[in-house]
Amino acid sequence: MSIQTRELPCRSGKLGLLTLDSPATLNALSSDMFLQMQAQLDDWADDESLRLVMINAKGDRGFSAGGDIREVYQALKEAPDTMTVTRVFAQEYRVDYTLHTFPKPVVTLAHGITMGGGMGLLQASRYRLVTPDAMLAMPEATIGLFPDVGASWFLNRLPGSIGLFMGLTGARMNATDAIRIGLADLVVERSQQDELINRITDQYWTGDIAADDNRLFRLLNQLEEAPAESLPDSELALYEQDIARLCRRDDLSRVAERLLSSPPGNEWWRACIDGLRNACPVSLYLLERQLAHGLQMSLKDIFRMELAMVANCAAGPDLAEGIRARLIDRDNQPAWRYRSLTEVPEDYVENHFTPPWPETEDPLADL
């Protein structure tokens, strides 16, 4: 089993505990895991005795490094019609949407590496807890994809141009930065997980959603936060003004050029700029466009848009090539279809937003 589930009795009602359990793969999220999660969440949503849900993960290195990209690569090679890949992403987005709209409070505790699909689970949760070693990022542009799993929603809600910057560069946000920009609600030591579970199970949960949510909110606020000395210094504190200036509204190629021409900075900043330098040019335009579209869209339509984008990315050459270069052959020399932003045709980007299926066959039409 790649996930474990338990139902823990409280003084009244039950806590549903869902644990990602594939530490050898950094809890990479596979198709089977999405199916298991969806089935369990659907059961818990209908179970009147189940009052709230907690999501965590096993392993020392991280909550989840994202979707199982090797599974995606295999599907791309075996099924050139792209529908196999589309089904996997549709399963993932359905789980994310289910968490966003879940009828009972959801708490997620993320530790260590939390990227891509892991971010999707965390950002979809009502309460987002991270540990001092948490490292949050959306690095999809380096494999020829784009920040998905609802990133068109949650990146747009970050202050200033931080969301655009994260997507362009794959910037890694530490726990301090996550709190600073609203990607997390509370930093707690991972050792407090058992204490949190014990506190939850020692409560009377009424089944009244508003009352239970209020009780959980107060309970979490009573948790002892991680001590300041255990937290990393904020990287963003050093560069927020630079990001605002360099990423100000402009043609994307000029934004990228300003970033690439910026002074070297510290190790974190250099890693960000390297991420931009190595990103797929088409992916960067997709990011810019998805953020613009997402401002005016419902959450449901955002997931439907991102699924259409994924299907069109799967039909093109960059996604398979990016995965090959970064994760399969590891030569880190992807041969992108277009080498630079200035070469990418506008209509090629916009065509990614046209669903390759009739509206009546949209895999997420029933969300």
Side-chain angles (χ1 to χ4, degrees), residues 18 66 69 156 204 216 229 231 233 245 255 285 305 317:
L18 190 157
I69 296 301
N156 261 329
Y204 292 92
L216 179 58
E229 58 269 21
L231 299 179
D233 292 336
R245 174 175 55 83
V255 172
Y285 271 121
M305 173 187 73

Side-chain angles (χ1 to χ4, degrees), residues 305-326:
M305 173 187 73
E306 290 184 357
L307 188 64
M309 294 170 67
V310 162
N312 287 309
C313 283
D318 286 333
L319 179 56
E321 173 61 7
I323 297 173
R324 179 207 65 76
R326 305 299 186 202

Side-chain angles (χ1 to χ4, degrees), residues 1-314:
M1 292 286 288
S2 47
I3 68 167
Q4 300 291 334
T5 61
R6 288 191 291 162
E7 295 181 1
L8 304 179
C10 305
R11 289 184 179 269
S12 64
K14 295 182 295 186
L15 164 69
L17 182 61
L18 190 157
T19 302
L20 306 181
D21 188 11
S22 183
T25 67
L26 271 176
N27 294 309
L29 300 165
S30 66
S31 176
D32 286 344
M33 292 172 76
F34 294 133
L35 292 173
Q36 293 171 47
M37 284 190 279
Q38 188 67 57
Q40 185 63 80
L41 290 171
D42 289 344
D43 285 347
W44 282 343
D46 293 335
D47 184 347
E48 293 184 1
S49 68
L50 199 293
R51 304 293 197 237
L52 62 166
V53 171
M54 182 174 177
I55 302 174
N56 62 5
K58 290 189 177 180
D60 295 330
R61 296 176 59 200
F63 174 69
S64 175
D68 189 339
I69 296 301
R70 291 179 182 274
E71 179 184 45
V72 171
Y73 185 74
Q74 193 66 26
L76 286 170
K77 291 303 179 182
E78 293 178 357
D81 64 357
T82 76
M83 287 312 298
T84 301
V85 171
T86 302
R87 278 194 294 272
V88 172
F89 280 89
Q91 292 163 0
E92 180 175 18
Y93 296 175
R94 189 174 294 277
V95 168
D96 291 332
Y97 185 80
T98 297
L99 289 172
H100 274 285
T101 59
F102 203 68
K104 302 165 187 182
V106 178
V107 181
T108 291
L109 175 59
H111 69 282
I113 295 173
T114 303
M115 298 183 180
M119 277 283 280
L121 297 178
L122 178 64
Q123 299 307 319
S125 302
R126 175 73 174 88
Y127 296 101
R128 304 162 300 167
L129 279 56
V130 297
T131 57
D133 68 340
M135 193 63 66
L136 281 54
M138 296 297 292
E140 290 79 4
T142 61
I143 60 166
L145 195 58
F146 59 92
D148 63 329
V149 296
S152 309
W153 180 83
F154 63 78
L155 289 184
N156 261 329
R157 279 155 178 76
L158 301 184
S161 301
I162 299 296
L164 176 64
F165 179 78
M166 282 188 68
L168 290 175
T169 65
R172 296 189 173 198
M173 300 297 169
N174 63 33
T176 304
D177 293 325
I179 292 291
R180 185 182 184 91
I181 61 176
L183 283 174
D185 303 307
L186 189 66
V187 183
V188 298
E189 297 287 354
R190 196 176 178 201
S191 59
Q192 290 180 268
Q193 178 175 276
D194 289 343
E195 177 190 351
L196 174 57
I197 292 173
N198 288 337
R199 289 195 183 195
I200 289 174
T201 56
D202 195 39
Q203 298 290 320
Y204 292 92
W205 303 100
T206 66
D208 179 281
I209 296 172
D212 285 348
D213 185 66
N214 183 264
R215 181 182 295 272
L216 179 58
F217 176 79
R218 287 186 283 111
L219 185 153
L220 291 173
N221 280 337
Q222 292 166 6
L223 274 182
E224 183 179 353
E225 293 193 55
E229 58 269 21
S230 73
L231 299 179
D233 292 336
S234 171
E235 300 287 0
L236 274 178
L238 300 174
Y239 289 102
E240 276 176 326
Q241 292 185 1
D242 292 317
I243 291 170
R245 174 175 55 83
L246 297 171
C247 295
R248 66 184 182 275
R249 186 181 296 275
D250 201 346
D251 180 83
L252 184 62
S253 61
R254 286 195 287 270
V255 172
E257 182 55 37
R258 286 198 294 265
L259 287 167
L260 292 170
S261 302
S262 63
N266 66 10
E267 183 179 351
W268 179 82
W269 182 261
R270 291 195 297 271
C272 291
I273 301 307
D274 283 345
L276 171 61
R277 185 175 290 110
N278 294 320
C280 172
V282 171
S283 296
L284 300 180
Y285 271 121
L286 291 178
L287 165 71
E288 179 195 45
R289 203 69 53 89
Q290 76 181 102
L291 293 180
H293 290 330
L295 284 171
Q296 307 297 326
M297 301 176 79
S298 68
L299 186 62
K300 172 181 176 178
D301 286 340
I302 277 175
F303 280 111
R304 294 173 70 190
M305 173 187 73
E306 290 184 357
L307 188 64
M309 294 170 67
V310 162
N312 287 309
C313 283

